[in-house]
Amino acid sequence: MEFLEFKHDQAAADLVARVYDTPPLAYVHSYGCQQNVNDGERIKGVLTDIGYGLCDKPDDADLILFNTCAVREHAEQRVFGNVGALKALKEKKPQLLIGLCGCMANQKHIVDKLRKSYPYVDLVFGVDGIDTLPQLLCEKLAGRRRRVLMEPAQRPVIVENIPIRRESEFRAWLPIMYGCDNFCTYCIVPYVRGREKSRKSADILAEFRGLVAAGYKEITLLGQNVNSYGKGLEEQIDFADLLRLLCTVPGDYHIRFMTSHPKDASHKLIDTIAAQPKLCKHIHLPVQSGSDRILAQMNRHYTAAQYLELVEYARKTIPGVTFSSDIIVGFPNETEEDFAATLRLIEQVGYMQLFTFIYSKREGTKAALLPDEVTRAEKTDRMRRLLETQDAIAMKLVAAQVGRTVRVLVEGHGREEGTLTGRLDNNLTVEFAGAPELIGAYAHVRLTGARATVLLGEVCGQPQPQ
Ligand code: 5AD
Ligand code: SF4
């Protein structure tokens, strides 16, 4: 692994200034997970570093970039639909540049399809190509190439200090590692994001300190599997050690992280969450299925019983801890019995939130080769039953929160006029009346009721530092 520093590209900035009379505008849209959203923020940073401005509407843009997601087929179809819709805009405005990046751009069959069927796409670069964007743009703007299509590539490189334009002034994403080595059989991520690479703890700490100094309140550490942080680094450090290190930074903030693979979630990690007040008492711990047969076919390396043991240990160790999870419904040949095991498991755990997905076949993964007799109608019906079960679970858990007084981070405007939304430590949201000046600050809220799974409350006292 090589660690590099991002360098400002003055030649690219000069070229942009020569080509455009006024600073050109870029529209960058990110699909998919938080990792991708964070990549999008860095793409915006790199573009502004060479003189681009940013805009919110594709119609205003000189450069449109779709930062794509490949995790399910639906996401890919949306991107192709949106790229297709740009054809007319490009005809009206031939100097418009259109680019596609992110996970889809790391798949050969997608790049081939773009080449063949979307000739008006000017730039394609993969998840590891963000720092190379100025160079790619230069080649295009200088007319050295009619089109720039990069082959899918994963580089054994981490580039530090890529400029960033964050979307929020109080909540920040902070990647601690990239890629994934787990090869769950349904998942495209290891193929598009490549092998796991951990950032050095000193680099993470420096970025973290910068965020705290800039007033960020919520810092979410990101990785496909944060629990295997540290693998391959020269320093001896694991994820729990990293959390402890970050918590030594003084300031008024809290830390979240995602995603934790249950097979690597250690008791040490749980003890650390219990011991550190800066760490939210909420764990996103995707189980995917409650059936041991399916878990084995998914290559998850744990059983339902092992998962439940972990949850029990966390409950015992971290008072008030809450869990959320991802569930895949309709994995190839999932039987009614397998599905019943999933329903049982979600009842046993009692998740606050569940992110549910119907299995989507991904070309190139192992599961794509499995036969599947389960009909779409059955899968949809299972999804409906899963959601119904989860709604009832969440409603009970949410109702049990009423009466508490909690500290929340005020995130934005609520549904009703004059209301705000805040997020609790346990990841639930609450709506309450309050002035917009509170957005981005902590507030103390008394929980007075609930509307479905959203809590309702009222501010009590002044927002206070932790
Ligand atoms: N089909 C459906 N859901 C998937 N996920 C990952 N790959 C697939 C797929 N092929 C889900 C998993 C993962 C979440 C981010 O997306 O539940 O945890
Ligand atoms: Fe995909 Fe599994 Fe890696 Fe998560 S841990 S990104 S589900 S391969």
Side-chain angles (χ1 to χ4, degrees), residues 33 70-73 186-189 224 259 284 286 288 300 326-329 355 357-362 365:
C33 67
V71 81
R72 281 171 292 275
E73 196 185 353
Y186 50 82
C187 189
I188 196 72
V189 168
Q224 300 300 335
T259 288
H284 183 62
Q288 312 298 356
R300 292 290 288 178
D326 296 347
I327 300 275
I328 295 180
V329 172
F355 300 90
F357 310 101
I358 290 189
Y359 169 74
S360 168
K361 186 170 165 173
R362 306 285 59 215
T365 62

PDB file of all heavy atoms in Angstrom, residues 33 70-73 186-189 224 259 284 286 288 300 326-329 355 357-362 365, ligand 1:
ATOM      1  N   CYS A  33     -24.622   4.778  -0.876  1.00  0.00           N
ATOM      2  CA  CYS A  33     -24.275   4.779   0.552  1.00  0.00           C
ATOM      3  C   CYS A  33     -23.509   6.036   0.961  1.00  0.00           C
ATOM      4  O   CYS A  33     -23.102   6.850   0.130  1.00  0.00           O
ATOM      5  CB  CYS A  33     -23.441   3.540   0.874  1.00  0.00           C
ATOM      6  SG  CYS A  33     -21.818   3.565   0.091  1.00  0.00           S
ATOM      7  N   ALA A  70     -23.698   0.615  -7.275  1.00  0.00           N
ATOM      8  CA  ALA A  70     -23.915  -0.624  -8.026  1.00  0.00           C
ATOM      9  C   ALA A  70     -24.507  -1.731  -7.163  1.00  0.00           C
ATOM     10  O   ALA A  70     -24.608  -2.868  -7.590  1.00  0.00           O
ATOM     11  CB  ALA A  70     -22.587  -1.103  -8.616  1.00  0.00           C
ATOM     12  N   VAL A  71     -24.919  -1.380  -5.938  1.00  0.00           N
ATOM     13  CA  VAL A  71     -25.234  -2.442  -4.981  1.00  0.00           C
ATOM     14  C   VAL A  71     -26.498  -3.218  -5.357  1.00  0.00           C
ATOM     15  O   VAL A  71     -26.590  -4.415  -5.108  1.00  0.00           O
ATOM     16  CB  VAL A  71     -25.260  -1.887  -3.534  1.00  0.00           C
ATOM     17  CG1 VAL A  71     -26.558  -1.202  -3.191  1.00  0.00           C
ATOM     18  CG2 VAL A  71     -24.945  -2.968  -2.531  1.00  0.00           C
ATOM     19  N   ARG A  72     -27.444  -2.534  -5.982  1.00  0.00           N
ATOM     20  CA  ARG A  72     -28.646  -3.228  -6.474  1.00  0.00           C
ATOM     21  C   ARG A  72     -28.963  -2.760  -7.890  1.00  0.00           C
ATOM     22  O   ARG A  72     -28.595  -1.658  -8.272  1.00  0.00           O
ATOM     23  CB  ARG A  72     -29.842  -2.956  -5.542  1.00  0.00           C
ATOM     24  CG  ARG A  72     -29.814  -3.794  -4.270  1.00  0.00           C
ATOM     25  CD  ARG A  72     -30.857  -3.352  -3.278  1.00  0.00           C
ATOM     26  NE  ARG A  72     -30.542  -2.041  -2.749  1.00  0.00           N
ATOM     27  CZ  ARG A  72     -29.734  -1.814  -1.714  1.00  0.00           C
ATOM     28  NH1 ARG A  72     -29.181  -2.824  -1.082  1.00  0.00           N
ATOM     29  NH2 ARG A  72     -29.480  -0.600  -1.314  1.00  0.00           N
ATOM     30  N   GLU A  73     -29.692  -3.615  -8.594  1.00  0.00           N
ATOM     31  CA  GLU A  73     -29.967  -3.325  -9.998  1.00  0.00           C
ATOM     32  C   GLU A  73     -30.751  -2.027 -10.170  1.00  0.00           C
ATOM     33  O   GLU A  73     -30.509  -1.246 -11.087  1.00  0.00           O
ATOM     34  CB  GLU A  73     -30.762  -4.495 -10.599  1.00  0.00           C
ATOM     35  CG  GLU A  73     -30.777  -4.484 -12.100  1.00  0.00           C
ATOM     36  CD  GLU A  73     -31.666  -5.576 -12.662  1.00  0.00           C
ATOM     37  OE1 GLU A  73     -32.161  -6.413 -11.882  1.00  0.00           O
ATOM     38  OE2 GLU A  73     -31.874  -5.558 -13.881  1.00  0.00           O
ATOM     39  N   TYR A 186     -23.664 -12.317  -2.195  1.00  0.00           N
ATOM     40  CA  TYR A 186     -24.624 -11.494  -2.945  1.00  0.00           C
ATOM     41  C   TYR A 186     -24.038 -10.154  -3.347  1.00  0.00           C
ATOM     42  O   TYR A 186     -24.628  -9.408  -4.119  1.00  0.00           O
ATOM     43  CB  TYR A 186     -25.878 -11.226  -2.079  1.00  0.00           C
ATOM     44  CG  TYR A 186     -25.529 -10.718  -0.705  1.00  0.00           C
ATOM     45  CD1 TYR A 186     -25.232  -9.376  -0.485  1.00  0.00           C
ATOM     46  CD2 TYR A 186     -25.442 -11.588   0.381  1.00  0.00           C
ATOM     47  CE1 TYR A 186     -24.860  -8.920   0.758  1.00  0.00           C
ATOM     48  CE2 TYR A 186     -25.081 -11.140   1.638  1.00  0.00           C
ATOM     49  CZ  TYR A 186     -24.792  -9.811   1.816  1.00  0.00           C
ATOM     50  OH  TYR A 186     -24.409  -9.363   3.051  1.00  0.00           O
ATOM     51  N   CYS A 187     -22.860  -9.810  -2.816  1.00  0.00           N
ATOM     52  CA  CYS A 187     -22.449  -8.398  -2.794  1.00  0.00           C
ATOM     53  C   CYS A 187     -21.419  -8.046  -3.864  1.00  0.00           C
ATOM     54  O   CYS A 187     -20.391  -8.705  -4.016  1.00  0.00           O
ATOM     55  CB  CYS A 187     -21.900  -8.066  -1.414  1.00  0.00           C
ATOM     56  SG  CYS A 187     -21.618  -6.307  -1.220  1.00  0.00           S
ATOM     57  N   ILE A 188     -21.657  -6.953  -4.527  1.00  0.00           N
ATOM     58  CA  ILE A 188     -20.776  -6.495  -5.596  1.00  0.00           C
ATOM     59  C   ILE A 188     -19.623  -5.642  -5.056  1.00  0.00           C
ATOM     60  O   ILE A 188     -18.612  -5.426  -5.731  1.00  0.00           O
ATOM     61  CB  ILE A 188     -21.607  -5.694  -6.648  1.00  0.00           C
ATOM     62  CG1 ILE A 188     -20.870  -5.510  -7.965  1.00  0.00           C
ATOM     63  CG2 ILE A 188     -22.049  -4.345  -6.097  1.00  0.00           C
ATOM     64  CD1 ILE A 188     -20.746  -6.736  -8.792  1.00  0.00           C
ATOM     65  N   VAL A 189     -19.773  -5.180  -3.804  1.00  0.00           N
ATOM     66  CA  VAL A 189     -18.832  -4.188  -3.262  1.00  0.00           C
ATOM     67  C   VAL A 189     -17.356  -4.605  -3.363  1.00  0.00           C
ATOM     68  O   VAL A 189     -16.520  -3.822  -3.810  1.00  0.00           O
ATOM     69  CB  VAL A 189     -19.219  -3.798  -1.809  1.00  0.00           C
ATOM     70  CG1 VAL A 189     -18.108  -3.012  -1.128  1.00  0.00           C
ATOM     71  CG2 VAL A 189     -20.490  -2.971  -1.832  1.00  0.00           C
ATOM     72  N   GLN A 224     -16.657  -0.213   4.877  1.00  0.00           N
ATOM     73  CA  GLN A 224     -17.574  -1.324   4.564  1.00  0.00           C
ATOM     74  C   GLN A 224     -17.627  -2.288   5.730  1.00  0.00           C
ATOM     75  O   GLN A 224     -18.611  -2.966   5.949  1.00  0.00           O
ATOM     76  CB  GLN A 224     -17.121  -2.070   3.305  1.00  0.00           C
ATOM     77  CG  GLN A 224     -17.052  -1.213   2.062  1.00  0.00           C
ATOM     78  CD  GLN A 224     -18.382  -0.611   1.699  1.00  0.00           C
ATOM     79  OE1 GLN A 224     -19.429  -1.137   2.038  1.00  0.00           O
ATOM     80  NE2 GLN A 224     -18.353   0.520   1.022  1.00  0.00           N
ATOM     81  N   THR A 259     -20.001   0.440   8.606  1.00  0.00           N
ATOM     82  CA  THR A 259     -20.858  -0.633   9.061  1.00  0.00           C
ATOM     83  C   THR A 259     -20.040  -1.667   9.800  1.00  0.00           C
ATOM     84  O   THR A 259     -18.904  -1.920   9.429  1.00  0.00           O
ATOM     85  CB  THR A 259     -21.531  -1.275   7.835  1.00  0.00           C
ATOM     86  OG1 THR A 259     -22.510  -0.375   7.335  1.00  0.00           O
ATOM     87  CG2 THR A 259     -22.197  -2.569   8.119  1.00  0.00           C
ATOM     88  N   HIS A 284     -25.181  -0.288  14.404  1.00  0.00           N
ATOM     89  CA  HIS A 284     -25.748  -0.813  13.161  1.00  0.00           C
ATOM     90  C   HIS A 284     -25.009  -2.116  12.879  1.00  0.00           C
ATOM     91  O   HIS A 284     -23.808  -2.100  12.599  1.00  0.00           O
ATOM     92  CB  HIS A 284     -25.570   0.200  12.032  1.00  0.00           C
ATOM     93  CG  HIS A 284     -26.192  -0.263  10.749  1.00  0.00           C
ATOM     94  ND1 HIS A 284     -27.539  -0.501  10.633  1.00  0.00           N
ATOM     95  CD2 HIS A 284     -25.655  -0.564   9.537  1.00  0.00           C
ATOM     96  CE1 HIS A 284     -27.806  -0.911   9.409  1.00  0.00           C
ATOM     97  NE2 HIS A 284     -26.675  -0.969   8.725  1.00  0.00           N
ATOM     98  N   PRO A 286     -25.597  -5.269  10.659  1.00  0.00           N
ATOM     99  CA  PRO A 286     -26.414  -5.963   9.657  1.00  0.00           C
ATOM    100  C   PRO A 286     -26.361  -7.484   9.806  1.00  0.00           C
ATOM    101  O   PRO A 286     -25.280  -8.067   9.801  1.00  0.00           O
ATOM    102  CB  PRO A 286     -25.780  -5.547   8.328  1.00  0.00           C
ATOM    103  CG  PRO A 286     -25.070  -4.288   8.618  1.00  0.00           C
ATOM    104  CD  PRO A 286     -24.576  -4.418  10.036  1.00  0.00           C
ATOM    105  N   GLN A 288     -28.591  -9.572   7.928  1.00  0.00           N
ATOM    106  CA  GLN A 288     -28.962 -10.048   6.570  1.00  0.00           C
ATOM    107  C   GLN A 288     -30.028 -11.129   6.567  1.00  0.00           C
ATOM    108  O   GLN A 288     -30.954 -11.079   5.779  1.00  0.00           O
ATOM    109  CB  GLN A 288     -27.742 -10.516   5.764  1.00  0.00           C
ATOM    110  CG  GLN A 288     -26.545  -9.573   5.748  1.00  0.00           C
ATOM    111  CD  GLN A 288     -26.789  -8.213   5.127  1.00  0.00           C
ATOM    112  OE1 GLN A 288     -27.869  -7.937   4.609  1.00  0.00           O
ATOM    113  NE2 GLN A 288     -25.827  -7.324   5.187  1.00  0.00           N
ATOM    114  N   ARG A 300     -21.426 -15.482   5.467  1.00  0.00           N
ATOM    115  CA  ARG A 300     -21.378 -14.450   6.499  1.00  0.00           C
ATOM    116  C   ARG A 300     -20.514 -14.834   7.703  1.00  0.00           C
ATOM    117  O   ARG A 300     -20.223 -13.993   8.553  1.00  0.00           O
ATOM    118  CB  ARG A 300     -22.801 -14.103   6.970  1.00  0.00           C
ATOM    119  CG  ARG A 300     -23.641 -13.398   5.916  1.00  0.00           C
ATOM    120  CD  ARG A 300     -23.186 -11.995   5.633  1.00  0.00           C
ATOM    121  NE  ARG A 300     -23.474 -11.072   6.709  1.00  0.00           N
ATOM    122  CZ  ARG A 300     -23.130  -9.786   6.720  1.00  0.00           C
ATOM    123  NH1 ARG A 300     -22.456  -9.274   5.701  1.00  0.00           N
ATOM    124  NH2 ARG A 300     -23.427  -9.012   7.731  1.00  0.00           N
ATOM    125  N   ASP A 326     -29.505  -4.488   8.513  1.00  0.00           N
ATOM    126  CA  ASP A 326     -29.918  -4.658   7.111  1.00  0.00           C
ATOM    127  C   ASP A 326     -30.417  -6.087   6.953  1.00  0.00           C
ATOM    128  O   ASP A 326     -29.806  -7.016   7.498  1.00  0.00           O
ATOM    129  CB  ASP A 326     -28.721  -4.497   6.159  1.00  0.00           C
ATOM    130  CG  ASP A 326     -28.121  -3.101   6.182  1.00  0.00           C
ATOM    131  OD1 ASP A 326     -28.755  -2.185   6.727  1.00  0.00           O
ATOM    132  OD2 ASP A 326     -27.006  -2.933   5.647  1.00  0.00           O
ATOM    133  N   ILE A 327     -31.496  -6.250   6.195  1.00  0.00           N
ATOM    134  CA  ILE A 327     -32.034  -7.588   5.926  1.00  0.00           C
ATOM    135  C   ILE A 327     -32.218  -7.737   4.417  1.00  0.00           C
ATOM    136  O   ILE A 327     -32.738  -6.830   3.767  1.00  0.00           O
ATOM    137  CB  ILE A 327     -33.423  -7.786   6.593  1.00  0.00           C
ATOM    138  CG1 ILE A 327     -33.354  -7.612   8.103  1.00  0.00           C
ATOM    139  CG2 ILE A 327     -34.040  -9.133   6.194  1.00  0.00           C
ATOM    140  CD1 ILE A 327     -32.956  -8.822   8.892  1.00  0.00           C
ATOM    141  N   ILE A 328     -31.792  -8.865   3.906  1.00  0.00           N
ATOM    142  CA  ILE A 328     -32.081  -9.182   2.502  1.00  0.00           C
ATOM    143  C   ILE A 328     -33.189 -10.230   2.468  1.00  0.00           C
ATOM    144  O   ILE A 328     -33.078 -11.275   3.120  1.00  0.00           O
ATOM    145  CB  ILE A 328     -30.827  -9.721   1.783  1.00  0.00           C
ATOM    146  CG1 ILE A 328     -29.755  -8.631   1.724  1.00  0.00           C
ATOM    147  CG2 ILE A 328     -31.181 -10.204   0.377  1.00  0.00           C
ATOM    148  CD1 ILE A 328     -28.471  -9.048   1.042  1.00  0.00           C
ATOM    149  N   VAL A 329     -34.242  -9.921   1.750  1.00  0.00           N
ATOM    150  CA  VAL A 329     -35.364 -10.847   1.597  1.00  0.00           C
ATOM    151  C   VAL A 329     -35.242 -11.503   0.233  1.00  0.00           C
ATOM    152  O   VAL A 329     -34.920 -10.831  -0.751  1.00  0.00           O
ATOM    153  CB  VAL A 329     -36.699 -10.069   1.666  1.00  0.00           C
ATOM    154  CG1 VAL A 329     -37.859 -10.971   1.306  1.00  0.00           C
ATOM    155  CG2 VAL A 329     -36.888  -9.486   3.035  1.00  0.00           C
ATOM    156  N   PHE A 355     -33.196  -1.766   7.671  1.00  0.00           N
ATOM    157  CA  PHE A 355     -33.095  -1.384   6.263  1.00  0.00           C
ATOM    158  C   PHE A 355     -33.287  -2.677   5.484  1.00  0.00           C
ATOM    159  O   PHE A 355     -32.498  -3.621   5.640  1.00  0.00           O
ATOM    160  CB  PHE A 355     -31.739  -0.730   5.982  1.00  0.00           C
ATOM    161  CG  PHE A 355     -31.550   0.506   6.808  1.00  0.00           C
ATOM    162  CD1 PHE A 355     -30.967   0.439   8.070  1.00  0.00           C
ATOM    163  CD2 PHE A 355     -32.005   1.731   6.352  1.00  0.00           C
ATOM    164  CE1 PHE A 355     -30.826   1.574   8.858  1.00  0.00           C
ATOM    165  CE2 PHE A 355     -31.868   2.872   7.126  1.00  0.00           C
ATOM    166  CZ  PHE A 355     -31.277   2.794   8.385  1.00  0.00           C
ATOM    167  N   PHE A 357     -34.117  -5.030   2.016  1.00  0.00           N
ATOM    168  CA  PHE A 357     -33.860  -5.057   0.574  1.00  0.00           C
ATOM    169  C   PHE A 357     -34.332  -6.386   0.008  1.00  0.00           C
ATOM    170  O   PHE A 357     -34.101  -7.434   0.619  1.00  0.00           O
ATOM    171  CB  PHE A 357     -32.358  -4.923   0.293  1.00  0.00           C
ATOM    172  CG  PHE A 357     -31.728  -3.772   1.014  1.00  0.00           C
ATOM    173  CD1 PHE A 357     -31.000  -3.975   2.184  1.00  0.00           C
ATOM    174  CD2 PHE A 357     -31.876  -2.473   0.544  1.00  0.00           C
ATOM    175  CE1 PHE A 357     -30.429  -2.911   2.868  1.00  0.00           C
ATOM    176  CE2 PHE A 357     -31.308  -1.405   1.224  1.00  0.00           C
ATOM    177  CZ  PHE A 357     -30.580  -1.618   2.385  1.00  0.00           C
ATOM    178  N   ILE A 358     -34.959  -6.324  -1.156  1.00  0.00           N
ATOM    179  CA  ILE A 358     -35.223  -7.570  -1.884  1.00  0.00           C
ATOM    180  C   ILE A 358     -33.934  -7.926  -2.613  1.00  0.00           C
ATOM    181  O   ILE A 358     -33.293  -7.050  -3.218  1.00  0.00           O
ATOM    182  CB  ILE A 358     -36.410  -7.413  -2.852  1.00  0.00           C
ATOM    183  CG1 ILE A 358     -37.706  -7.271  -2.041  1.00  0.00           C
ATOM    184  CG2 ILE A 358     -36.494  -8.601  -3.812  1.00  0.00           C
ATOM    185  CD1 ILE A 358     -38.985  -7.310  -2.838  1.00  0.00           C
ATOM    186  N   TYR A 359     -33.551  -9.176  -2.537  1.00  0.00           N
ATOM    187  CA  TYR A 359     -32.300  -9.623  -3.160  1.00  0.00           C
ATOM    188  C   TYR A 359     -32.256  -9.198  -4.633  1.00  0.00           C
ATOM    189  O   TYR A 359     -33.230  -9.343  -5.368  1.00  0.00           O
ATOM    190  CB  TYR A 359     -32.176 -11.148  -3.053  1.00  0.00           C
ATOM    191  CG  TYR A 359     -31.058 -11.690  -3.897  1.00  0.00           C
ATOM    192  CD1 TYR A 359     -29.732 -11.525  -3.513  1.00  0.00           C
ATOM    193  CD2 TYR A 359     -31.325 -12.338  -5.109  1.00  0.00           C
ATOM    194  CE1 TYR A 359     -28.700 -11.995  -4.304  1.00  0.00           C
ATOM    195  CE2 TYR A 359     -30.303 -12.812  -5.902  1.00  0.00           C
ATOM    196  CZ  TYR A 359     -28.992 -12.635  -5.500  1.00  0.00           C
ATOM    197  OH  TYR A 359     -27.967 -13.091  -6.292  1.00  0.00           O
ATOM    198  N   SER A 360     -31.123  -8.676  -5.017  1.00  0.00           N
ATOM    199  CA  SER A 360     -30.938  -8.248  -6.403  1.00  0.00           C
ATOM    200  C   SER A 360     -29.700  -8.971  -6.951  1.00  0.00           C
ATOM    201  O   SER A 360     -28.626  -8.916  -6.348  1.00  0.00           O
ATOM    202  CB  SER A 360     -30.739  -6.721  -6.397  1.00  0.00           C
ATOM    203  OG  SER A 360     -30.292  -6.266  -7.635  1.00  0.00           O
ATOM    204  N   LYS A 361     -29.896  -9.665  -8.045  1.00  0.00           N
ATOM    205  CA  LYS A 361     -28.801 -10.458  -8.613  1.00  0.00           C
ATOM    206  C   LYS A 361     -27.728  -9.549  -9.205  1.00  0.00           C
ATOM    207  O   LYS A 361     -28.030  -8.685 -10.017  1.00  0.00           O
ATOM    208  CB  LYS A 361     -29.416 -11.325  -9.714  1.00  0.00           C
ATOM    209  CG  LYS A 361     -28.504 -12.310 -10.330  1.00  0.00           C
ATOM    210  CD  LYS A 361     -29.368 -13.208 -11.203  1.00  0.00           C
ATOM    211  CE  LYS A 361     -28.538 -14.003 -12.155  1.00  0.00           C
ATOM    212  NZ  LYS A 361     -29.357 -14.977 -12.875  1.00  0.00           N
ATOM    213  N   ARG A 362     -26.476  -9.715  -8.796  1.00  0.00           N
ATOM    214  CA  ARG A 362     -25.382  -8.887  -9.291  1.00  0.00           C
ATOM    215  C   ARG A 362     -24.415  -9.719 -10.103  1.00  0.00           C
ATOM    216  O   ARG A 362     -23.799 -10.654  -9.581  1.00  0.00           O
ATOM    217  CB  ARG A 362     -24.626  -8.240  -8.112  1.00  0.00           C
ATOM    218  CG  ARG A 362     -25.450  -7.445  -7.125  1.00  0.00           C
ATOM    219  CD  ARG A 362     -25.905  -6.089  -7.606  1.00  0.00           C
ATOM    220  NE  ARG A 362     -26.717  -6.093  -8.801  1.00  0.00           N
ATOM    221  CZ  ARG A 362     -26.676  -5.149  -9.733  1.00  0.00           C
ATOM    222  NH1 ARG A 362     -25.863  -4.151  -9.623  1.00  0.00           N
ATOM    223  NH2 ARG A 362     -27.466  -5.214 -10.771  1.00  0.00           N
ATOM    224  N   THR A 365     -21.036 -11.942  -9.033  1.00  0.00           N
ATOM    225  CA  THR A 365     -20.997 -12.456  -7.652  1.00  0.00           C
ATOM    226  C   THR A 365     -21.316 -13.949  -7.655  1.00  0.00           C
ATOM    227  O   THR A 365     -21.914 -14.463  -8.607  1.00  0.00           O
ATOM    228  CB  THR A 365     -22.027 -11.737  -6.756  1.00  0.00           C
ATOM    229  OG1 THR A 365     -23.340 -11.996  -7.268  1.00  0.00           O
ATOM    230  CG2 THR A 365     -21.788 -10.241  -6.716  1.00  0.00           C
TER     231      THR A 365
HETATM  232  N1  5AD B   1     -29.280  -7.444  -3.153  1.00  0.00           N
HETATM  233  C1  5AD B   1     -29.977  -6.867  -2.157  1.00  0.00           C
HETATM  234  N2  5AD B   1     -29.412  -6.207  -1.150  1.00  0.00           N
HETATM  235  C2  5AD B   1     -28.076  -6.130  -1.128  1.00  0.00           C
HETATM  236  N3  5AD B   1     -27.239  -5.557  -0.262  1.00  0.00           N
HETATM  237  C3  5AD B   1     -25.989  -5.748  -0.696  1.00  0.00           C
HETATM  238  N4  5AD B   1     -25.988  -6.438  -1.846  1.00  0.00           N
HETATM  239  C4  5AD B   1     -27.280  -6.699  -2.129  1.00  0.00           C
HETATM  240  C5  5AD B   1     -27.934  -7.385  -3.174  1.00  0.00           C
HETATM  241  N5  5AD B   1     -27.253  -7.973  -4.156  1.00  0.00           N
HETATM  242  C6  5AD B   1     -27.675  -4.904   0.963  1.00  0.00           C
HETATM  243  C7  5AD B   1     -27.109  -5.602   2.207  1.00  0.00           C
HETATM  244  C8  5AD B   1     -26.085  -4.624   2.671  1.00  0.00           C
HETATM  245  C9  5AD B   1     -26.699  -3.298   2.266  1.00  0.00           C
HETATM  246  C10 5AD B   1     -25.780  -2.161   2.224  1.00  0.00           C
HETATM  247  O1  5AD B   1     -27.220  -3.574   0.989  1.00  0.00           O
HETATM  248  O2  5AD B   1     -28.149  -5.734   3.147  1.00  0.00           O
HETATM  249  O3  5AD B   1     -25.857  -4.698   4.070  1.00  0.00           O
END
